[in-house]
């Protein structure tokens, strides 16, 4: 990275853990947080957020994995952005490809969720990414442009929004794009944001890469000019691996 954007290393724990396991993992991350200069964020399953909040300390931010667009009401099984904020969260992931696929979430809905995050004072981590079929047919940049335009609120800025590029085919597969391919997409994302939100937002917004990021490949990915951190799934479930990725930030 050749800029003033503080790297963000975010752990998406997905649907993993128990109160005991989450406590141990959160303690491990918190214990190492002082040794890395990157900002750290962990996103536990909703039911474990209070457990993690109780042991995390101030050096690691807490986030949700999803939120409803509404503030409250008759939405069985959902959690609002306000509830996440009340539970100690500073961030929420919206539009993860597993939500888009498992729950049919459209970019329009993702945008409404990001607006809800902003309403509640949370930073939205908006996820976008192409499938392998889309990449194979040369549509990656078109898909990215359209997901970005549809999912990013007009009021997004560098403080309230983070964009995570997660190629669907790289998630949990051990496969990643080449570093050049990642940089190409990230530079494209920044250019699209520049035309939609202006120079200052484009220059300041953090763009995370996600998809099979591990200690072994993190150094190369995090050194790319338009990569400002990572959104990590599997490797965020081991404190040592998560911290090793964070320590790889330039
Ligand atoms: P993996 O790191 O397990 O590939 O998951 C990436 C991801 O989906 C993070 O949101």
């Amino acid at each position: 990275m050749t800029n003033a954007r503080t790297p963000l290393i975010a752990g998406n724990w997905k649907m993993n853990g128990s109160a005991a396991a989450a406590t141990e993992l959160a303690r491990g991350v918190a214990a190492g947080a002082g040794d890395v200069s990157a900002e750290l964020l962990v996103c536990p399953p909703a039911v474990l957020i209070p457990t993690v909040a109780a042991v995390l300390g101030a050096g690691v931010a807490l986030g949700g994995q999803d939120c409803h667009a509404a503030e409250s009401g008759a939405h069985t099984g959902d959690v609002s952005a306000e509830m996440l904020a009340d539970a100690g969260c500073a961030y929420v992931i919206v539009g993860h490809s597993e939500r888009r696929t498992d729950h049919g979430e459209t970019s329009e809905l993702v945008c409404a969720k990001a607006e809800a995050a902003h309403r509640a004072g949370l930073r939205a981590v908006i996820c976008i990414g192409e499938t392998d079929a889309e990449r194979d047919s040369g549509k990656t940049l078109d898909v990215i442009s359209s997901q970005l335009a549809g999912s990013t609120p007009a009021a997004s800025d560098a403080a309230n929004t983070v964009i995570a590029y997660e190629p669907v085919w790289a998630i949990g597969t051990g496969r990643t794009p080449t570093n050049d391919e990642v940089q190409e997409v990230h530079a494209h994302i920044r250019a699209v944001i520049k035309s939609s939100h202006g120079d200052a937002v484009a220059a300041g917004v953090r763009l995370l890469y996600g998809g099979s990021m591990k200690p072994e490949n993190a150094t190369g990915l995090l050194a790319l000019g338009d990569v400002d951190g990572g959104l990590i799934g599997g490797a965020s479930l081991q404190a040592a691996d998560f911290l090793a990725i964070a320590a790889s930030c330039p």
Side-chain angles (χ1 to χ4, degrees):
M1 258 189 10
T2 52
N3 54 68
R5 297 183 292 269
T6 304
L8 173 64
I9 299 297
N12 175 6
W13 294 1
K14 306 194 179 182
M15 195 173 71
N16 293 293
S18 59
T23 300
E24 190 185 335
L25 178 52
R27 282 204 175 118
V29 172
D35 301 330
V36 298
S37 54
E39 183 183 347
L40 298 180
L41 165 65
V42 295
C43 301
V47 71
L48 296 176
I49 286 172
T51 305
V52 172
V55 296
L56 208 48
V60 185
L62 187 57
Q65 298 178 9
D66 177 47
C67 65
H68 196 279
E71 188 173 342
S72 63
H75 303 289
T76 303
D78 280 310
V79 170
S80 71
E82 282 75 7
M83 290 170 173
L84 294 174
D86 187 47
C89 290
Y91 286 84
V92 61
I93 299 169
V94 293
H96 192 282
S97 66
E98 288 150 15
R99 301 287 318 172
R100 292 180 188 259
T101 304
D102 295 356
H103 300 274
E105 294 193 6
T106 61
S107 288
E108 190 182 5
L109 178 62
V110 173
C111 188
K113 291 182 174 202
E115 286 170 348
H118 296 161
R119 180 189 68 218
L122 300 178
R123 295 172 163 187
V125 180
I126 301 173
C127 301
I128 55 175
E130 83 285 1
T131 64
D132 50 0
E134 289 163 343
R135 177 162 281 272
D136 289 348
S137 54
K139 294 194 188 124
T140 298
L141 297 185
D142 289 344
V143 169
I144 292 303
S145 300
S146 124
Q147 287 185 351
L148 201 52
S151 311
T152 311
S156 281
D157 61 30
N160 67 18
T161 299
V162 173
I163 305 292
Y165 168 54
E166 298 207 311
V168 178
W169 53 274
I171 295 175
T173 60
R175 295 166 58 210
T176 60
T178 65
N179 290 345
D180 285 350
E181 286 167 340
V182 171
Q183 172 56 25
E184 180 192 23
V185 174
H186 278 234
H188 178 73
I189 293 169
R190 207 174 293 285
V192 171
I193 292 174
K194 187 172 175 170
S195 22
S196 59
H197 289 75
D199 290 2
V201 177
V205 71
R206 290 179 292 182
L207 309 183
L208 312 186
Y209 169 78
S212 297
M213 190 184 270
K214 314 241 175 281
E216 297 74 41
N217 60 17
T219 302
L221 289 163
L222 293 168
L224 298 169
D226 284 299
V227 173
D228 309 309
L231 181 54
I232 296 123
S236 73
L237 298 175
Q238 300 292 335
D241 286 350
F242 184 65
L243 291 166
I245 292 172
S248 305
C249 287

